[in-house]
Amino acid sequence: MIRALGIESSCDETAAAVVVDGTEVLSNALHSQIALHERHRGVVPEIASRSHTTRILPIVEAALDDAGVTPEQLDLIAVTNRPGMVGCLLVGLSAAKTLAWMFGKPLVGVDHVQAHLHAAFMTRPDLPTPGLSLVASGGHTALYRLDAPGETSLLGRTRDDAAGEALDKGAAVLGLPYPGGPSIEAAAANGDPKAIRLPRTMLDRESLDFSFSGVKTALLYHLRGPGLERPAPELDAAAVADIAASYQRAIVETLVRKMRRAAERESVRSLSIGGGVARNKLLREMIGADPVLSRLELVFPPMDLCSDNGAMIAGLGTHLWQSGHRDGLDLDAIATARTRRA
Ligand code: KG4
Ligand code: ZN
C-alpha cells in the first residue's frame, strides 16, 4: 500500500489530500480564495500567495486528520512545482520540502496540468487509450492525447485567453459575480442560447488550437457598440440570462467542435475532461449529444477532481514515484509550462 500526500498551491486554492495507491482518495482538503479575489474579478498574485502562507499548514493537517494518517505513515510527498504563480507555488513547495525533510520522506514534484489530465486515470484506471483529453480552466485550455498515465502529448492549446478566463471576463462585463463560469452557468439556466449571435473561432482548417479573445470582444461590442461608443447598458435579468446563455453556448460549442476535430484525426478510444470548466453541465451534455464524441468512452471525473485539488497531485505523484522518479530538496518552482507538441 502506497500512501501519498499531495499538496497544491499554484493558483487560488490551497489544497492537500491523502491518496492510497494512486486512486483511493482518503481525504481532499481545500481552502478556496474566491472570497478574497471576488472584488478584483480575478486572482491577485500577491493576495493569493499571502493567503496560501496562512492556510497551508491547517490544510495539510486537515488532509492528514481526515484520512487518519500520520506523517510517519506516508510513503511520499507530492507537490505542484509547475506551472503557476511563483509566489504561490513556493508556499506549497516549502511546506512539502519541510515535511519531506522532517519525516525523511521522498519528495516528488508534479506538473499541475499533467495532474488535471491524470484525474481521468484516477477515475477510470483502465481508461481506454489512446484517449483525448481537454483541460480547461482559468489559466489553461488545451487538448492532449493520452497514451498511458504520465504519457501525454499536446495537440492544441489556446493562443490567447483560456476558456475559464473568457467566462470570468464575460461575467465581469455582464455584472455577474466572480468566478464567471458558475455565475454564467446559473444565469444562463433561464436564457435563450440563440438570443445573440457570437462567433465560434475555429482558426484554420487544420488547427486544434483555441482562441477565445474574439468571442469576448464580440460580447463587448454587442453591449457597447463596435467602437465602444455606448456606455454599458442597464440589463434586466431576462436580458442577462439570454446573453449569458448565448455566451456560454458559444464557448462550450467551440470546445466541443475542437474535440470532435481532434477525435476524428487521432482515432482515440476515450474522451476525458479536467479543469474547472469541466464542471460545466452544458459541456457535459453537449459532449454526450455529439455524434462523434458520444461514441467514445466518456470519462468525466467527479467535480472535486476537476477543479484544483490535492488528490490529483498525490495521484500523479504516486505514479511518478512508482516509475522511479525522485526530487531533491533543491526542487524549483517554475512559472511556465514546458509543453511538447505531438
Ligand atoms: O481548475 P480551476 O479550479 O483553477 C485554475 O487552474 O484556473 O478552474 C477555475 C476556472 C474559472 O475560470 C471558473 O470560472 C471556471 O473554472 N469554472 C467553470 C465552472 N466552474 C468553474 N466554468 C464553467 N462552468 C462551471 N460550472
Ligand atoms: Zn488547474
Side-chain angles (χ1 to χ4, degrees):
M1 180 159 66
I2 301 170
R3 292 192 189 95
L5 173 68
I7 298 179
E8 155 64 38
S9 69
S10 65
C11 189
D12 60 343
E13 255 100 31
T14 317
V18 176
V19 172
V20 170
D21 293 335
T23 53
E24 195 192 334
V25 181
L26 293 191
S27 64
N28 204 2
L30 184 94
H31 172 257
S32 164
Q33 300 177 2
I34 285 176
L36 294 177
H37 301 293
E38 214 168 10
R39 67 196 174 98
H40 305 284
R41 295 196 172 277
V43 180
V44 182
E46 179 67 14
I47 295 175
S49 55
R50 275 170 198 246
S51 172
H52 285 308
T53 57
T54 62
R55 297 291 178 160
I56 191 77
L57 292 181
I59 285 293
V60 167
E61 243 165 35
L64 291 168
D65 284 354
D66 293 351
V69 167
T70 64
E72 290 82 1
Q73 291 172 323
L74 293 170
D75 295 289
L76 70 134
I77 297 171
V79 60
T80 307
N81 76 315
R82 65 195 188 280
M85 292 179 278
V86 162
C88 295
L89 289 167
L90 284 171
V91 179
L93 201 52
S94 310
K97 285 180 184 178
T98 308
L99 287 168
W101 177 74
M102 274 175 70
F103 296 98
K105 303 293 175 184
L107 180 72
V108 178
V110 170
D111 179 301
H112 177 91
V113 179
Q114 292 296 320
H116 274 305
L117 296 171
H118 190 75
F121 288 105
M122 296 176 71
T123 311
R124 266 292 294 275
D126 60 345
L127 182 85
T129 51
L132 177 67
S133 193
L134 170 78
V135 178
S137 69
H140 318 278
T141 294
L143 281 170
Y144 286 83
R145 180 188 150 103
L146 306 184
D147 285 302
E151 270 179 48
T152 70
S153 36
L154 181 69
L155 300 173
R157 66 171 147 195
T158 185
R159 294 184 185 174
D160 40 57
D161 289 357
E165 188 181 358
L167 288 163
D168 293 341
K169 289 177 178 168
V173 170
L174 288 173
L176 294 169
Y178 176 85
S183 62
I184 285 195
E185 182 169 48
N190 304 313
D192 172 8
K194 294 203 179 92
I196 63 167
R197 281 167 64 101
L198 292 167
R200 278 77 169 141
T201 308
M202 295 301 285
L203 304 168
D204 52 82
R205 278 172 66 88
E206 293 300 304
S207 181
L208 293 177
D209 282 348
F210 300 92
S211 167
F212 291 106
S213 62
V215 69
K216 182 188 68 184
T217 310
L219 173 66
L220 206 56
Y221 287 175
H222 172 80
L223 295 169
R224 301 196 42 207
L228 301 182
E229 62 275 9
R230 297 196 296 264
E234 290 285 329
L235 299 169
D236 62 19
V240 170
D242 281 349
I243 299 171
S246 305
Y247 192 66
Q248 174 182 242
R249 175 66 72 105
I251 289 174
V252 168
E253 209 171 284
T254 308
L255 292 171
V256 170
R257 284 191 197 172
K258 285 280 171 175
M259 283 189 270
R260 188 191 311 152
R261 189 181 272 184
E264 281 165 344
R265 188 179 314 167
E266 293 289 315
S267 59
V268 286
R269 299 172 60 209
S270 62
L271 171 68
S272 53
I273 53 177
V277 180
R279 300 174 70 107
N280 188 269
K281 205 163 149 255
L282 180 66
L283 177 69
R284 291 168 179 238
E285 280 169 13
M286 286 189 73
I287 290 172
D290 184 87
V292 174
L293 299 179
S294 60
R295 287 206 298 267
L296 304 172
E297 281 289 335
L298 300 180
V299 177
F300 300 152
M303 295 294 183
D304 55 358
L305 281 190
C306 284
S307 36
D308 290 353
N309 66 87
M312 66 181 188
I313 306 302
L316 180 53
T318 302
H319 169 75
L320 293 169
W321 186 76
Q322 285 175 309
S323 316
H325 187 96
R326 306 284 184 274
D327 284 299
L329 292 180
D330 57 349
L331 179 66
D332 262 340
I334 304 168
T336 46
R338 218 175 296 141
T339 38
R340 183 167 57 89
R341 265 181 195 269

